[in-house]
Amino acid sequence: MLQTISLVVVVLATVAGVAVFARGAAVIVRQVRVGRPAPGRLSPAGRRARTLVREVLGHGHFRQRPAVRAAHWLVMVSFPLLFLTLVTGYGQVVDPAFALPLLGHLPPWEWLVEAFAWLGLAGILLLVGVRLRRRPRAGEPLPERRRSRFFGSTRWQAYFVEAVIAVVIVCVLALRVLEYAYYAGEPGLAHLATPLHFPLTAWLGEPLVGAGQAALADAITVVSAVKIVVSMSWMVVIGLQPSMGVAWHRFLAVVNVYARREPDGGPALGPAQPLLVGGAPLDVTALDDLPEDVTLGVGHVEEFTWKGLLDFSTCTECGRCQDQCPAWNTGKPLSPKLFTLALRDHATAAAPFLRAAATARPATPDAAPTAASPEEIGAAALAGRDGFRPHSGDVLGALTEAGATGPGGVSPVPSDLVPDVIDPDVLWACTTCGACVHQCPVDIEHVDHILDLRRHEVLMASAFPAELGGMFRKLESKGNPWGLAPRKRLEWAKGLPFDVPVVGADVESAAEVDYLFWVGCAGAFEDRARRTTRAVAELLHTAGVSFAVLGDGETCTGDPARRSGNELLFQMLAAQNVETLEEAGARRIVVTCAHCFNTLAREYPQLGGRYEVVHHTQLLDRLVREGRLTPVPPAAGEASRTVTYHDPCYLGRHNQVYAPPRELLGAVPGLSLTEMPRSGETAMCCGGGGGRVWMEETVGTRISSARAGEAAATGATAVATACPFCTTMLSDGAAANGDDVEVLDVAQLLLAAVRRGDPAPAD
C-alpha cells in the first residue's frame, strides 16, 4: 500500500514538475528571442566550446574567494552527478533493492556518489553560512545594509534553492545508509554491505542492521519519494518563476558563457562594442542613407540583442558586481546587480505583449511587424494578461531605496527604459571601470548595456548631463575636451634640453623613428599630465629611443565621447585620427594615457587602424631591464620613500597590464612599494572613467576622495599612477581630504632616480 501511494505521488509530482519546468523554459526562450540579432555570438563553435569547458570546470570568475569557489564547484558538480541517484529513486519506490544496471553497484561509482554527497553537503552549508553572515539585517540603517552584496537580492528564492539542494543531498546520504542496512539483511545482497561499496556511510548504516527488512524497505521507499517530490517541487517553483536567476542560472549560464563576447575567454572589457544598426556596425559616412525611424542605441527592451536579454535572465543575484562597484560603494544609486534585475523584471513583464503585438500585426513585404506601442504594452499589463509579473518586493524595495527607479516607482510595464526603468542618475553614475564585468561569474556584460542606453539617450533623446554638452562641443570644435587651440599642443615641450621632432615638419614619416609618441589631450593641455609627458620624453631621449609627435595634427582619440554615449562624435574623431596616422606612416605608438592606449590599440582596429601600441610603463620597464635606463640610489642619508600604486582601470582591468608599472617601481632604488587593500584585479576606480572626469559628483562620497583615502591609509607618502585621469582625480581627492600624500606618475618617479646619475635641469 505504501509503495502504491508513493508511486502515485511520485508520478503526479513528476508530471507536474516536468510540465511546469518546460513551460518556464519556453517562456525564457520566447523572452530572449524578442531581442535583436547578436552576430558572431555562436561561432567559432570549437573555440567557444573549449572556453566554456575551461570556465565552467575551472570556476575562474570566483576571484579572491577560494572557499566560496570550492564550495560552489562542489555543489555544481554534484548536481549532474547526483541526478542519476534521482533516477535510481524511481526504481526504489517500487523495489528497495533497485540499482542502475552496470553502474549501480560499481565501487568507483559508489565512491564518487558518497564523496560528492558529503562534499556537496559541506559546500551548500558553507554557502548558506556566507549568505546568513553577509545578509542585510532588518533595522540597520540603509548605509549599513548597502554594504551587503546581497542587498536587493530576492532572499526567499536563494534560501529555497539552497534548502532544496541540502534536502536532496541529505536524502541521497540517508538512502545510502538505509541501503547498507537493508542489503546486510538480504541473503542475496549481503555481500554488498561492506565498506568497499559504502566507504563513507557504512559507519552510519551499521547501527540500523537488524532493524527489520520491512521497516527498512518502507524507509527506502519513503525517502526516495521525498527526494523525488522535493526535486519536482523545485522544478515547479522555478517553472512558475522564469526570472528566478538564482535557480535558472544552472542552465542559462552554460549558454551565456558560451555566447560571451570574447570566444577565447577574455572579459567583455577593453574595446567598446560598435553601435549596431540592422545587425551591422554603424557607418557614419552612410548616415543619410539610414531609415528615418532608425533607433541608435537601446531605448526599449526589445532593442537589446538576444544576448543582452539572456544576460538579464542569467543573473544569479550574487552581488559580486555590487560588492566591487565604486559608485555603489560611495553612496551612488548605481548597483550593477539592481540595474540588471530591473531590466530583467521589465523584460519578463513586457516580452509577452511585444510578441503578441508582433504576431497580431500583418507583415508587409518591406518591413517586419512592429513592436507594441507604449500604450498597448501598458494596457495589456494592467489588464493582467498571462506572463505579466511585477517586480518582486525585495527588488522593488531595494531599487526604491537605492534611488534606481523613476519618480513614483516602477510602473508595471514602462515604455522608455530611461527614466521609467533606469533612473538617469543610475545610468550616468557608471565610471565604466569594468569591476562588475570582471567579477561576474556568469559573464554578464554590464558595461556594454550601460553604454547602449547612454547611446540612445545622447543620440536619440538628447538627454545627458549638462557638463557633457560642453565637453562634446569642445571636442567637435577644437578636438580636445578642454576647448584649447590645437596650436598649443606642443607647449609641453618648451624648455626641454633637446628638440622634439614633429612628423611632417622635422621628419617626413613616423617610420623614420622608433616610436610615434601619442601625447594625448591631457598630456598636452593639463598641467599635471604635462609633467608626465615631459618625463617620458626625457627618459626616451636618455635611453636613445627616437620618437616624434604629431603636434597640432593630433586630436582627441574620442574615448570621452564614446564612453559617454556619443558614438557619432567618437567615429568622427577616430576617422580623422586614423587618416592622420596612416598619412604619418605610424606603426609603433607609445602613449601615456590608459584611455588613449585602450582606444588606439583595441578600438581603432574596428575602423581599420591597426598599430603596435605600448603604454609608457611597458616601454620604460623594458628599457630599464635592457640597461638603457639606470635608476640610481638616493644619496647617503637621504630617506627612502614609501609608495603605493593605483591601477588605472583602462590599463589594468580592461587590458590586463598590471606587472610593468610595479616592476618599474621595484627597480627604483629608495622606493618601497606597499599595496592598497584593493589593488590589481580588485583595484578601485579613481572615478574619472566613462566621461565622469567631466561631471560633478553630487551624491554620496566622491570616488576620488575615497580612493585617495585608501592610498593615504597605507602610510605611503606618494601615490604612483599610470594615467593622467587618475593623476588628476587622485590629486583632487587627496586635496579634498587634506591627505599629506603626493600623486605622481610612475615615469616621474623613475626620472628622478635616473637624474641622480646624470644631473639635468629640473622642470
Side-chain angles (χ1 to χ4, degrees):
M1 185 64 179
L2 178 63
Q3 289 180 337
T4 303
I5 294 174
S6 297
L7 182 60
V8 170
V9 171
V10 163
V11 169
L12 292 176
T14 302
V15 170
V18 172
V20 178
F21 179 84
R23 175 190 175 277
V27 168
I28 293 174
V29 170
R30 290 195 297 268
Q31 178 179 316
V32 170
R33 292 182 64 187
V34 166
R36 290 176 171 177
R41 291 305 185 113
L42 299 178
S43 61
R47 285 164 58 192
R48 290 188 176 277
R50 288 191 295 272
T51 298
L52 173 64
V53 172
R54 185 179 68 249
E55 289 294 323
V56 172
L57 294 184
H59 261 43
H61 281 295
F62 284 78
R63 297 175 172 90
Q64 293 82 45
R65 292 182 172 90
V68 173
R69 178 181 185 179
H72 190 276
W73 187 87
L74 290 168
V75 172
M76 178 199 72
V77 173
S78 67
F79 182 79
L81 187 66
L82 299 181
F83 174 77
L84 289 179
T85 69
L86 184 67
V87 177
T88 303
Y90 283 94
Q92 289 176 314
V93 169
V94 178
D95 177 9
F98 177 82
L100 292 175
L102 301 178
L103 199 62
H105 296 309
L106 192 66
W109 167 250
E110 293 172 316
W111 303 340
L112 202 62
V113 167
E114 292 198 2
F116 272 94
W118 284 112
L119 291 172
L121 182 61
I124 197 64
L125 292 178
L126 187 147
L127 295 177
V128 170
V130 169
R131 187 174 293 275
L132 290 173
R133 181 169 55 86
R134 297 288 305 274
R135 75 185 189 281
R137 288 169 171 78
E140 286 183 333
L142 180 59
E144 293 295 323
R145 284 185 285 135
R146 281 175 58 108
R147 292 196 180 101
S148 168
R149 65 183 174 94
F150 299 114
F151 177 84
S153 298
T154 314
R155 293 186 291 275
W156 76 263
Q157 293 181 355
Y159 291 136
F160 171 76
V161 169
E162 289 165 343
V164 167
I165 293 171
V167 170
V168 169
I169 292 177
V170 167
C171 286
V172 171
L173 292 171
L175 283 169
R176 293 294 293 167
V177 170
L178 292 169
E179 287 166 15
Y180 176 89
Y182 182 78
Y183 291 169
E186 288 290 313
L189 299 173
H191 66 285
L192 297 175
T194 67
L196 176 66
H197 292 276
F198 295 86
L200 301 175
T201 54
W203 64 280
L204 284 171
E206 191 63 39
L208 298 179
V209 174
Q213 292 303 96
L216 290 171
D218 288 345
I220 290 174
T221 298
V222 170
V223 174
S224 297
V226 168
K227 181 173 66 171
I228 294 170
V229 169
V230 169
S231 299
M232 292 304 116
S233 299
W234 179 79
M235 295 178 71
V236 168
V237 170
I238 73 169
L240 293 173
Q241 299 279 334
S243 61
M244 192 171 173
V246 70
W248 281 104
H249 84 276
R250 287 181 174 274
F251 314 101
L252 301 181
V254 174
V255 184
N256 214 46
V257 173
Y258 176 87
R260 64 190 303 157
R261 191 217 281 184
E262 303 297 333
D264 292 324
L269 297 173
Q273 289 294 276
L275 175 59
L276 299 181
V277 177
L282 173 67
D283 181 1
V284 293
T285 63
L287 283 179
D288 293 339
D289 298 329
L290 293 177
E292 291 185 2
D293 60 347
V294 70
T295 298
L296 303 179
V298 173
H300 302 86
V301 71
E302 69 273 17
E303 291 162 2
F304 281 112
T305 66
W306 64 260
K307 174 58 170 66
L309 296 179
L310 181 62
D311 272 359
F312 308 147
S313 294
T314 308
C315 179
T316 70
E317 305 187 24
C318 67
R320 291 179 179 88
C321 57
Q322 181 172 289
D323 202 34
Q324 293 290 317
C325 179
W328 181 259
N329 285 317
T330 53
K332 313 296 189 295
L334 169 64
S335 157
K337 178 181 71 178
L338 300 182
F339 169 86
T340 302
L341 297 186
L343 292 171
R344 179 199 68 187
D345 288 353
H346 173 62
T348 302
F353 315 116
L354 293 169
R355 291 195 310 272
T359 56
R361 293 174 178 170
T364 66
D366 299 323
T370 57
S373 69
E375 293 77 12
E376 289 170 324
I377 295 175
L382 293 174
R385 290 173 54 181
D386 180 49
F388 167 63
R389 191 185 73 81
H391 288 82
S392 66
D394 284 345
V395 174
L396 179 57
L399 290 169
T400 304
E401 290 176 337
T405 64
V410 180
S411 58
V413 187
S415 171
D416 297 325
L417 293 179
V418 181
D420 294 332
V421 179
I422 304 299
D423 190 274
D425 286 341
V426 170
L427 181 64
W428 295 106
C430 180
T431 67
T432 67
C433 72
C436 50
V437 176
H438 191 260
Q439 286 290 322
C440 182
V442 292
D443 280 317
I444 294 173
E445 299 163 4
H446 312 76
V447 173
D448 286 350
H449 303 322
I450 287 173
L451 183 55
D452 278 337
L453 291 177
R454 286 184 174 185
R455 285 167 168 169
H456 183 274
E457 290 304 286
V458 171
L459 302 177
M460 302 299 295
S462 296
F464 46 84
E467 302 100 319
L468 291 182
M471 187 262 285
F472 292 155
R473 287 191 294 272
K474 292 170 183 175
L475 283 176
E476 189 170 0
S477 61
K478 300 295 184 180
N480 67 84
W482 280 272
L484 299 176
R487 66 176 182 276
K488 295 184 177 182
R489 278 191 175 269
L490 266 176
E491 288 188 355
W492 64 268
K494 290 181 179 178
L496 286 175
F498 54 87
D499 294 329
V500 176
V502 179
V503 176
D506 303 304
V507 295
E508 186 67 23
S509 167
E512 300 176 24
V513 295
D514 295 327
Y515 287 94
L516 174 70
F517 184 10
W518 184 274
V519 177
C521 299
F525 298 116
E526 207 276 331
D527 288 339
R528 288 164 288 196
R530 279 181 172 181
R531 299 189 188 104
T532 300
T533 306
R534 291 171 63 88
V536 171
E538 186 172 336
L539 288 166
L540 295 180
H541 179 74
T542 301
V545 176
S546 61
F547 66 92
V549 299
L550 292 175
D552 59 9
E554 183 179 302
T555 192
C556 180
T557 61
D559 168 83
R562 185 172 225 190
R563 300 290 164 168
S564 301
N566 197 335
E567 181 71 12
L568 300 185
L569 180 54
F570 161 76
Q571 291 211 23
M572 181 187 77
L573 294 168
Q576 179 181 336
N577 279 326
V578 169
E579 182 180 356
T580 300
L581 290 169
E582 292 300 316
E583 291 176 353
R587 286 298 173 264
R588 303 171 74 196
I589 302 174
V590 59
V591 300
T592 60
C593 175
H595 296 260
C596 293
F597 173 70
N598 180 72
T599 306
L600 291 168
R602 307 287 304 278
E603 296 187 337
Y604 276 20
Q606 297 172 357
L607 303 174
R610 291 175 172 81
Y611 318 101
E612 179 188 337
V613 185
V614 297
H615 190 259
H616 72 285
T617 58
Q618 294 174 306
L619 179 56
L620 295 177
D621 181 45
R622 189 169 80 233
L623 294 175
V624 169
R625 286 188 281 107
E626 291 174 352
R628 298 170 68 178
L629 289 173
T630 306
V632 176
E638 186 176 340
S640 62
R641 191 171 195 183
T642 302
V643 177
T644 188
Y645 174 66
H646 165 79
D647 290 273
C649 299
Y650 275 79
L651 185 63
R653 215 155 17 234
H654 280 271
N655 286 284
Q656 306 302 304
V657 179
Y658 297 108
R662 289 176 168 82
E663 291 173 356
L664 267 179
L665 293 172
V668 176
L671 288 186
S672 175
L673 178 64
T674 180
E675 295 283 7
M676 286 180 264
R678 289 188 278 189
S679 61
E681 291 184 341
T682 61
M684 183 181 178
C685 182
C686 73
R692 289 296 321 177
V693 72
W694 314 111
M695 291 182 270
E696 286 295 328
E697 289 186 55
T698 57
V699 179
T701 303
R702 289 179 180 270
I703 296 175
S704 59
S705 296
R707 185 57 169 169
E710 287 187 358
T714 65
T717 60
V719 182
T721 66
C723 174
F725 285 10
C726 296
T727 302
T728 298
M729 298 297 290
L730 295 180
S731 295
D732 292 345
N737 293 344
D739 296 325
D740 186 17
V741 62
E742 189 176 11
V743 182
L744 299 167
D745 191 272
V746 172
Q748 293 175 270
L749 293 166
L750 176 63
L751 178 61
V754 170
R755 278 178 171 175
R756 297 188 195 116
D758 184 14
D763 287 349

